[in-house]
């Protein structure tokens, strides 16, 4: 006992930056990185989860959040969570699909009609299959996916009314094979860029358009560099809350339970936040100068069918996964 106390006293004090008042390293000092501004509900709810975890574990588990691409872009954070450099990361399904192709299934264009279909699929069989695939690359995916939202298209010029308006459009998409394939199928000229580069790419006119859910357009201030927004709802996108597999297994079971409970609960609240924001954001963004128009999915779906998009991705995902998706949303191709 005495020796232990002595060696503790002799150990150099570890000062955790950004967490004043906590002078000594916790038993489990974990890092969580993400790509979104602190004002996004993902960060607000993650912060609450982190506080609850510290409290319920009596300080044994301390998680430090690095928001807003502080640790690099999505592809950097994906390598870091694989190597264990960080313990947690929340990639969009589109982004983790570069490593786990099955994870792009929810992003098939114009698949989901509404949130009932979304959560029916992602809390059900479609999500379970993706989680199993994520586990195969030694990452642990928490049960409840967090919401990014239905993706909408913004442009600096002409608004997008039908698929014909997309011909040759220089549009930024996430680093994701499915996004590239889909926007090429629609006749656009998509460019993959990490989220950290989007604002300046629009500002400097490297691209003329981008696509993201309204909450992202708001918190990342994309309305400052875009003029019009087509409510296309072309992809439903969510974030997988993932952990490094080894680090996760290294947590004693009682701590795993607390961490998973806090993160899944926070995820459910975050879904609610996004749902509420969706009801109010159009007016906010209009007041900031973004002009909105509605679109029908018909011309877009027809163009994608004609381009062979659905047939191609049915082949890539395989009949089983495709069947699960169609079981949740109806026939696609
Ligand atoms: O990069 C994007 O567009 C974002 C923020 O929606 C994702 O994380 C995929």
């Amino acid at each position: 006992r005495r020796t232990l106390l002595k060696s503790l006293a002799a150990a150099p004090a570890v000062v955790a930056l950004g967490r004043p008042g906590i002078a000594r390293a916790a038993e489990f000092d974990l890092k969580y990185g993400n790509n979104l501004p602190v004002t996004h509900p993902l960060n607000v709810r993650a912060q609450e989860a982190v506080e609850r975890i510290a409290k319920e574990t009596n300080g044994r588990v301390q998680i430090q959040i690095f928001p807003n691409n502080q640790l690099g872009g999505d592809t950097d954070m994906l390598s870091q969570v694989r190597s264990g450099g960080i313990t947690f990361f929340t990639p969009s399904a589109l982004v983790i699909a570069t490593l786990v192709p099955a994870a792009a299934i929810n992003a098939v264009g114009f698949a989901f009609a509404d949130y009932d279909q979304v959560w029916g699929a992602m809390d059900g069989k479609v999500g379970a299959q993706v989680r199993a695939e994520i586990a195969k690359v030694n990452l642990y995916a928490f049960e409840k996916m967090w919401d990014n939202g239905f993706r909408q298209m913004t442009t600096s010029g002409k608004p997008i009314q039908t698929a014909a308006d997309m011909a040759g459009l220089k549009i930024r998409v996430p680093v994701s094979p499915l996004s590239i394939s889909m926007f090429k199928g629609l006749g656009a000229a998509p460019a993959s860029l990490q989220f950290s580069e989007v604002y300046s790419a629009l500002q400097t006119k490297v691209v003329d358009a981008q696509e993201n859910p309204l909450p992202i357009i708001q918190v990342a201030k994309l309305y400052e560099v875009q003029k019009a927004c087509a409510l296309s709802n072309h992809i439903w996108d969510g974030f997988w809350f993932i952990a490094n597999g080894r680090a996760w297994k290294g947590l004693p079971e009682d701590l795993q339970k607390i961490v998973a409970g806090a993160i899944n609960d926070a995820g459910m609240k975050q879904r609610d936040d996004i749902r509420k924001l969706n009801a109010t954001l159009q007016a906010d963004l209009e007041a900031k100068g973004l002009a909105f128009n509605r679109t029908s999915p018909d011309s877009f779906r027809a163009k994608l069918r004609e381009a062979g998009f659905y047939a191609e991705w049915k082949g890539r995902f395989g009949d089983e996964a495709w069947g699960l998706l169609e079981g949740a949303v109806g026939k696609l191709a």
Side-chain angles (χ1 to χ4, degrees), residues 260-277:
I263 286 178
N264 289 325
D265 285 355
M268 294 305 281
K269 290 187 188 140
Q270 191 269 355
R271 293 180 183 183
D272 231 41
D273 296 338
I274 298 287
R275 195 195 278 267
K276 286 186 185 134
L277 274 179

Side-chain angles (χ1 to χ4, degrees), residues 31-37 42-43 64-92 95-96 98-99 139 194-197 239-240 242-244:
K31 296 190 173 90
Y32 160 43
N34 69 59
N35 65 355
L36 296 182
L42 173 127
N43 272 311
Q64 192 174 3
I65 305 179
F66 296 86
N68 212 13
N69 295 301
Q70 279 175 17
L71 300 179
D74 282 321
T75 46
D76 303 306
M77 287 187 280
L78 197 54
S79 340
Q80 289 164 26
V81 76
R82 292 192 78 193
S83 69
I86 60 177
T87 302
F88 304 103
F89 176 37
T90 38
S92 144
V95 169
I96 195 174
T98 57
L99 177 66
L139 294 169
Q194 304 214 61
F195 187 63
S196 48
E197 300 170 288
F239 298 105
W240 283 107
I242 57 171
N244 172 276

Side-chain angles (χ1 to χ4, degrees), residues 148-264:
N148 190 359
F150 279 91
R151 300 181 78 92
Q152 321 293 0
M153 301 182 201
T154 67
T155 53
S156 61
K158 200 172 70 140
I160 297 161
Q161 310 275 359
T162 69
D165 296 320
M166 303 205 61
L169 182 70
K170 282 199 282 178
I171 184 167
R172 174 271 173 178
V173 296
V175 178
S176 144
L178 186 138
S179 297
I180 289 286
S181 159
M182 179 169 153
F183 281 86
K184 279 190 178 156
L186 289 170
S192 279
L193 290 176
Q194 304 214 61
F195 187 63
S196 48
E197 300 170 288
V198 173
Y199 186 96
S200 70
L202 291 167
Q203 193 176 35
T204 58
K205 307 257 195 263
V206 170
V207 290
D208 297 317
Q210 69 85 43
E211 44 86 56
N212 251 302
L214 298 186
I216 298 274
I217 296 168
Q218 166 92 346
V219 299
K221 299 187 173 14
L222 300 182
Y223 52 82
E224 292 177 352
V225 286
Q226 295 284 267
K227 288 213 172 75
C229 179
L231 294 168
S232 52
N233 293 311
H234 55 279
I235 283 175
W236 175 79
D237 186 22
F239 298 105
W240 283 107
F241 212 117
I242 57 171
N244 172 276
R246 215 172 342 111
W248 181 249
K249 284 183 202 120
L251 275 186
E253 229 174 279
D254 58 324
L255 298 184
Q256 277 184 359
K257 219 172 139 200
I258 292 172
V259 172
I263 286 178
N264 289 325

Side-chain angles (χ1 to χ4, degrees), residues 82 96 99-102 128-141 243 245 249 320:
R82 292 192 78 193
I96 195 174
L99 177 66
V100 182
Q129 206 222 13
V130 173
R131 289 183 73 220
E133 291 295 316
I134 293 175
K136 287 183 189 163
V137 297
N138 277 324
L139 294 169
Y140 171 76
K249 284 183 202 120
E320 196 193 329

